[in-house]
Amino acid sequence: MAERDQRRKSTDHAWLITGPMALIAILSCTAISVISHRPYGDWGLAFLIFIAMTGISIPVLNFVVRRQSVGVTLTEIPLVVALFFLPPLTVVLIYTLASLIWSARQRFAPAKFWFNVARAAAATSLAGLLLLRLPPLHDVGPGTWISLFLAVNTITLVSLVSVVGVHVLLQGWQAGREALRTTPSVFLTTSINASVGLLVLIALRKTWWSALLLAALFAALALVYRSYAQFFRQHRTLTGMYDLARLITTSGADAALADVLLDRVRALMQAESATLWLPAQGRHPEVLLTARVDTPGLLDVAPTPSILRERTRELAKTLSMGRLLGDEGALRREISASEIKDVIVVPLRSGQAVIGTLEVANRLSDIGHFAPGDIPIFETVAAHAAVALENSRLVDRLRHDAYHDTLTRLPNRRRVTGALDESVKIGAPDEVVALLLFDVDGLQQVNESLGHAAGDKVLVEVANRLRASAPSSALVGRVGGDEFLVTLRLENADAALELAEQLRDQIRDEMVFDALTLDVNTAVGVAVHPDHGSDAATLLLRVDLAANAAKSVPGSVQLFNPGLESRSLRRLGLAGDLRQALDQDELEVYFQPKVTLRDRRLVGVECLARWEHPTHGTVAPEDFVAVAAHTGQLSRLTEVVLREGLRRSRDWAEANQPLPIAVNLAARTLTDQHFPDRVQELLTEYGVPAQRLTLEITESGVLDGTDRPIPTLRRLRDLGVRLSVDDFGTGDSSLAHLRRLPVHEVKVDRSFVQGMATDPGDLAIVNAVVTLSQQFGLAVVAEGVESELTLELLQDIGCEIGQGFLFSRPLPYERLAAWFGAQVDPETISGSGGELPRLRVVP
């Protein structure tokens, strides 16, 4: 009720424009009666022109601005004739009467009715005054043309100014600017009509019999204008639909899509409101959003009753009601009190299911109504919207699956790491960021004794207890097979230890599964920021060290301390030994085959450094690579691998077995501006074609958020070297970022490949990477292929190349030569029945 009162009050403000216009009309008419020696007369001719003026006053062009419509008619044609033949006050009278009759026929509200009458009277009276100040109209010469042209455009100008004034007064400056945008079309139409009116005048001055031909001309001209109006509407509709479809496809989540969709749909359909309704589905809550013409932003209410949306969803078909659309009797009674004059509700479909509705209500302007032709347009828009909504929810599900554990539905390590990165960026002097890592004891025994289903139940129960017992501000995640992490802000490390004890006690309560009762214990490691690390990776490493230390005393809680970091200390001790190993060529290069997945044909090898320390034994590559990076020996280590790989590639080529090689690069190498020149020198020294060398850079190295690697990558590409992004999927980048980089290949990280046989989320990620990479023209290599099932899944999604223990482990050069000789299994040749030979695995 308050809204209707406010609307009525705003409409009444139009009298602030209507009153001055009426006063201008009175004063102008008074001036005309004083100045003109014959202000009125010729009533017979005036009656005929009045009939013509009234008959063609129906708008042939309409421009809708906010809640108002601006109509363009052909009345300028008889107006030119009237201004020439009739006295000025007579012209004012018949033009005002024609406007009054037209407004009454449209059933305008009183404020708009009298505004139109006052506008017509003021405009024609001012035009009459203008003609009295110009030379008399004795003949139909150029001077008369100019005078009549100015008079007609004066009427149009006064009308347009008054309309803009009303819009500014009632709806603000934005509405006034929108009304002004119609100025070129209005004056163009007025000028054309005035020109036609002058031709009519010339014809009538020649002979009054020309009126018969002119009547036919007017009818044809009306049809031309109607056709132009139809073309204009179609062009505007197609342009709006194109813009809407483009914006829909670039929008992401439901909220962003609704913001783009509703406002554009409302404008396209020239509706007072547009509403999107999506019922609750799974973890998605109900969405009800409305865009209204005079309201900024979106509302969470709809102007129409919910029965319309429910009925549309139930019937799975479009419902429409209105003056030109027909009525649904029962539904019309439901909305009779809602001040809805017409409405269209369209179901949003996903296959055969209806996932929601899209509706528009009340065509703008007092005389506008939705027509049957609007329904197909709106259904097309709804179809685009439904596809975009379903795609956004599919992407949301994939993103959710990628960041959550399938079994427990808790955030996984990737999600926890990201949240932890954000937490440590915000420091507080009286708080620490605590990490509590719970390692479930005895899970392997449960799996071996009762089966993996029982082990899964234990993990789910542990997850539920942690989620229920942890403070509401905590993030609980599963970061490993039997490891759960709780992170939150606390006062200090002592509070973290106290919370760890409380949560461990909650987990230790008996777990009952069918007829079995289990006692589950956990070892808990604790680390805090900033005491134990300044970034997420360091904190996770150190809390893992603390949890491993806690395992030595079952059920204990261990706070991290520097003494636990024996591995890091061991790395520091290896620095001098690594330098000596590089000087004495003690590092060995192993080769891991890369094969086609369809027929298991060898297509290249990856060169991997290995170090057998005389005291410590085999040193893990991540250990000595980290040592090399910290001690400035990374370039030497890279050159050792490059030289050995190129030398072996040359030997294979001389043995008529040309084989491409791949060498890993550290991210720091890409900042060395001399590295491409060194690669060129080595290629020339060993005589190996550049395209036979692939350089693999980790995702975090090539997509580090800056453009620093790009110059080096481009120089390497210009040499002809192939570039590959290694461990793709472990960072925060997307395939879209790769489009701006000169890379040729993507290697899917082994964590996704090894999990795709059991984790639908990993399978979806690998499938998406393969599909999008192929669309971008990138080759895809799957790392970590270790089972026939994984191989079959990769074949099904179209991945062409893989490497992993299923084919071969990394091998020294001598064993690789033996592997070459053992590629073809004689038994598979004799019994294959024409099948391609398979590679034999060398352990």
Side-chain angles (χ1 to χ4, degrees), residues 596-608:
T596 57
L597 299 181
R598 288 292 177 188
D599 51 11
R600 303 195 188 187
R601 295 295 182 183
L602 184 65
V603 293
V605 294
E606 181 179 1
C607 304
L608 302 167

Side-chain angles (χ1 to χ4, degrees), residues 77 191-201 214 217-218 221 225:
I77 297 175
S191 300
I192 294 173
N193 288 346
S195 301
V196 174
L198 290 173
L199 293 175
V200 171
L201 181 60
L214 292 173
L217 177 62
F218 288 157
L221 187 61
Y225 271 116

Side-chain angles (χ1 to χ4, degrees), residues 564-585:
L564 300 176
E565 217 165 13
S566 58
R567 187 175 182 184
S568 296
L569 295 175
R570 179 168 171 255
R571 283 184 178 180
L572 293 176
L574 292 175
D577 296 338
L578 177 61
R579 189 185 307 276
Q580 181 179 357
L582 289 172
D583 292 338
Q584 299 178 4
D585 293 330

